[in-house]
Amino acid sequence: MICRSKHFWLIVKEKFNRAPSDFLLRSLSSTTRNIRENRLALDLVRQSSSCILWRNFATRTNWGVRKRTLFPKLFFIEDRPSMSAIEHEETLAPLRLAVQEQGNLVRKLKEEKADPVTIKAAVTELKARIKSLELKVLELEPKEEKFDRLKMEDLLKQKFFYDISFSIYGGVAGQYDFGPLGCAVKNNIIDEWRKFFVLEEGIFEVNTSCLTPEPVLQASGHMEKFADYMVKDLKNGECFRVDHLIQTSLEKFIVDSKDREAIAEASKLISQLDNMKKDDYQAIIDKYSFKSPLTGNDLSEPIEFNLMFSTNIGPAGLLRGFLRPETAQGIFVNFKRLLEFNGGKLPFAAAQIGKAFRNEISPRAGLIRVREFDLAEIEHFVDPDDKAHPKFDDVQQVELPLLSACNQMDGKSPVSIAVGEAVSKGLIANQTLGYFMTKTFLFLKHIGINMDKVRFRQHMSNEMAHYASDCWDAECKTSYGWVECVGHADRSAFDLTHHTNATNVKLVAEKKLASPKKVKVMECLPNKAKIGKAFKQDSKVIITHLAQIGEEEASALKEQLATGSSVTLSIDNKRVTLSAEMLTVKEYEKTVHVEEIIPSVIEPAFGIGRIMYSLFEHSFREREGDEQRTYLSLPPSVAPYKCSVLPLSGNTEFAPFTRTISSSLRQLGVSHKVDESSGSIGRRYARTDQIAIPLGVTIDFDTLKEPHSVTLRERDSLEQVRLPVDMVASVVNDVARGVITWEDVKQTYPKFEQQEATK
Amino acid sequence: MICRSKHFWLIVKEKFNRAPSDFLLRSLSSTTRNIRENRLALDLVRQSSSCILWRNFATRTNWGVRKRTLFPKLFFIEDRPSMSAIEHEETLAPLRLAVQEQGNLVRKLKEEKADPVTIKAAVTELKARIKSLELKVLELEPKEEKFDRLKMEDLLKQKFFYDISFSIYGGVAGQYDFGPLGCAVKNNIIDEWRKFFVLEEGIFEVNTSCLTPEPVLQASGHMEKFADYMVKDLKNGECFRVDHLIQTSLEKFIVDSKDREAIAEASKLISQLDNMKKDDYQAIIDKYSFKSPLTGNDLSEPIEFNLMFSTNIGPAGLLRGFLRPETAQGIFVNFKRLLEFNGGKLPFAAAQIGKAFRNEISPRAGLIRVREFDLAEIEHFVDPDDKAHPKFDDVQQVELPLLSACNQMDGKSPVSIAVGEAVSKGLIANQTLGYFMTKTFLFLKHIGINMDKVRFRQHMSNEMAHYASDCWDAECKTSYGWVECVGHADRSAFDLTHHTNATNVKLVAEKKLASPKKVKVMECLPNKAKIGKAFKQDSKVIITHLAQIGEEEASALKEQLATGSSVTLSIDNKRVTLSAEMLTVKEYEKTVHVEEIIPSVIEPAFGIGRIMYSLFEHSFREREGDEQRTYLSLPPSVAPYKCSVLPLSGNTEFAPFTRTISSSLRQLGVSHKVDESSGSIGRRYARTDQIAIPLGVTIDFDTLKEPHSVTLRERDSLEQVRLPVDMVASVVNDVARGVITWEDVKQTYPKFEQQEATK
């Protein structure tokens, strides 16, 4: 730590207001002279109950990851150039202030219950200011964070990680095919996810239909709400997503215009586009007379376009169906079966990994906005009055980078807070939501996401999906900006209630009452014989209907029967008249021990493609001093192949060793790539680095001598060790499964420098 | 073995004409007295070079599976009541003869090149006779083979292995949801498949789009050929698959009719339904005046109905797309990328596991005919002139139950033949096809399919899919009859050729010529400057077109230019006239070292749902003497949970052991189910048996004593051993992964008899 201005330390305090352990206080005091020289910093450390530890300090004291985990309360700023981020705060201060002022205005208007139009306008302005702030933050990113997306995409395409679908037919926008490497990475991420969630949490994995009949999506709200606005070219029918079209057109306007005021206004409109509705869009199109950017033709007014792919199920064309836009509904409609599978008890969770489909109007940004994608969703069903999680204690010390709705309104940055604290303060609504957010955080870390590029952003009240009552997105920073990768929504009772209403099948759980209670029951008792005689084949429907009549209606029927001699009911749109002989309404008291409750649903939903794309960006590297040597630094668990097997040359004596090693790897189920092609060993290493292979086994002339040995090379550090041929498969397997690390390997086997090319 | 009539032994010889090892000859002679009493049997054994070994014999000599594998040439008839199947041959003989006679007639007609109508009629009759034979064979099945499907379906539904989709909305025919157990079984089958094929064979797994644009399916032939016939109710538009409707209606006719001749005729028509075309169906409907079975309304004429689900990709509704009916096309359109991924070399194989969709007119038979299903397909690309497989030697001794097209025409049963022999005799077309058939056979065995209920049936020439040139189906016998579970098709160059024609992108590989050869080349050389000046923005298209002009056309252009001063081409439906200044046709000789070839494709395609359904039927059991105690005998690798953990009672001292064992299982990634509910241990065992859990760990009062131990119980044998608490997780893991068997466990740990309920 070094001396800084008072303003600097105030920002530190603001940004990282944390609680240090006494231990650290002592460490800092005794090892860092500068601290004692700066009273403000020392005060800060004294006041709080944990502390900030700069990366420089950690490096200097040589604390490894292991040692640091002993002190869970410490807060480390890692892999971040120590001071620049904080210096930038001085630049950002006025922008933050502007957001905060507007945030306060919105709060005030809401408190005063101002008219909705005024509030809406204030919120729109607030979001625009938040967006300006965010853009500035991204612009101030330190230079080494700049990243060459084209170069990465070239690599991914050339090695066929993934590429556009049907390209020999011209390609289809928003659809991608995963080649051998991309498919393996995806499978590995899914496998790790399954271990992390399904196995460890005892979640019930299910697999339900993609084709979904219309009534299901009517009930779930997707028929009505799952739409974007588009405009059509009035002559050729071409469609554009209206916000994209306006943005591009305004950007062009800004470039062409010389009027500074007009430019400022257009810029402001761009920042507000996300929050506009039909009329706002129309007003802009009218004002600027925007036409189709491709033909110059006039445009239709904005049309709501439902994003679901429709089809017909069955040959008659009578049952309209859609490809599911999320996998969640398949779980909700199976709620009863799953509850029964869990012995009727709450809480439990079900998960589904599978394809979902959205007919995006204009797909873009590579894997991020596509028409066909893999989701992994969990629906955790829980008593709405008790959202505690039994394993919450295990994780409550974990610190999450949280950007709350409130902090967004105040123009603040994400703050790292222990999840236990965040829940107890009410920042995160409940333990279950907090538990899953933490599991997500640890999962992203486990598969290799750069944790400095992750934040949890809470939705503000007017941006939530139609089904959600609270929502935190795990976002990953990419060259496209912050990308929502995992949504954590409290869907409350929304879905189960709507499916119950649509089907008359009660999707509820029974909860034991603290003490039994007496309730009044009104029951409609049919005289089956009389009804059967009078209504023949319709009688079954009538009797079923009578059994489902609620308290209130039964009470009304009782009154009617008391005054008249018959009642008339509407059953399946037919009017049915029942005489007093056919129907008795019985009233009695009953002792009940349970009540019916509609469970709340907490949903973590993982977009596998977006996570994978972020992972590619976060692990794309260039070798120092050689821009051409790019590689992907994926962790062994996720890498498509776990190791390469490389004979040093075409020497035929190497072949038996290559075969033996490959076969022992295969027996252990370790995916690997044998490269017996010619070319220098260096060039072949570079090729394996490009496809993210973490370990390389090389057979050289020393291998031929007894005891037979090979070299093992690690991709990121370029370090090599020498180990016996018959150990290599199990060592690679252990590293791939995360049982040991490369550090462990280095401590067990001797270091190796360089092969000789000939002997 | 027992003495039988001469006729019996002739049938034995006919059916099992096999080659015994000398060893077996000695074994039989010395252990089976009866053999010496029956000269014919002895002769049979002497004449051939391997042998039939009856199950009774195997049981008597106590040969375990291990010992038997020492003698791969032996042929065992297992799990089959020893003689009855052969006794039935006497009943079946006339039916077999009838098939054979008709088969010979078809052969003769084809040889004589008779007119197609006559051949078609003869083939239809042949198929009818084959079907009658097959029905008789199934009818004669010994009694213990009868299987209570309802009981099994009850179990699968009650435990939510799978069930109809959207049932709270009334359900959708042909769509199923897999609950936690069914999903786990499916995932396990897929995992084993991936190990067996992708990993062991070094196949490239890919993952491509489900939504497929129309032109792709136009080229693949699916737009035209992928259809079934249906009829519509002329009043309400309801649709029926015509063959199903006619069958049901004829069956009703047979029940109602008293005219024996009419009954016979109707029966015959039923057996011919599979092979009829539009006019045949119409004729039957007319003759019997069939109406809609639901309304009695008149029916439309049979309409071809394409089985693909259609939708629109993108908002404009201009790009028609379909849900893929198979995953194979996604591989073919990526052929160039995959070939490059393999360094440009043949052979290589790509695989895809994923959903496919078929809009069945009337789905039925549970999981067997559904609208949405999982496929695992392999496309192996190979030089059409060299379909040898490098690993064929490893499998050539494996015997496959083959029912060739030829044997079907002769009314014969499947014959077990070593795959090496089958390929060398030309019965199976090539090594690669034979290799994959064998891998399929071993895979089905590995996951627990009853190998006595598997056969490979070759398609007869008129039943192959539009793309196939040879096809062998691995069929599993179920209560629905023989069900196609894995197709093995030689798709030859069909798909690559059609996509090449449709896109002008050459889907070919380069093959090195034995010796370089000189070829004449005709090349159209554009004068780019002149063309550019004359055609402006169109010039690029023209130049590209010129580069693609073939030998013949170039030659014609050369002639035209020699005689006239210009040529006229049709490019993108526009006529373009080029002067002699703009275009020169150069003729020269070139030495080429490679030729372009269109690879052949060998495709094994696995229907995961059908395999899974067959597996359920094959593993459904009742405990001897207790019909109510049903269970599923799935092998550990496929079972949804690998073990249960059962404390003997609610005693609180058991709880820490339950937690420790569960946690150590979780650490090893072993799925398991803890059942701490009350209820006798016997009842809880029965529950775990029902959901196929192969091993049960029980914590009892002896567990509390040091050294702490538990019992481990095996589901099928009900045997138990006692082993230390800290060993149990790794033992279960080893059994689940197939590293050790239950036999090994029994040899290592002491037998255990029965828990005492209290202490």
Side-chain angles (χ1 to χ4, degrees), chain B residues 563-593:
Chain B
T563 54
S565 61
S566 71
V567 291
T568 302
L569 300 167
S570 168
I571 299 176
D572 283 356
N573 296 320
K574 280 187 215 158
R575 297 186 66 76
V576 174
T577 302
L578 299 176
S579 67
E581 278 185 318
M582 297 173 181
L583 175 65
T584 326
V585 180
K586 198 177 145 194
E587 187 176 354
Y588 60 98
E589 255 195 357
K590 200 168 85 171
T591 306
V592 293
H593 300 267

Side-chain angles (χ1 to χ4, degrees), chain B residues 41 172 185 202 226 235 298 307 421 472 475 487 495 509 511 553-554 602 604 626 641 645 663 676 681 692:
Chain B
V172 179
V185 172
F226 198 67
K235 287 217 175 117
D298 281 340
L307 297 179
E421 192 187 332
W472 286 86
E475 298 182 331
D495 302 273
K511 184 181 173 181
E553 196 185 344
I602 310 286
D626 187 352
Y641 295 107
V645 182
S663 143
E676 291 179 300
I681 190 74

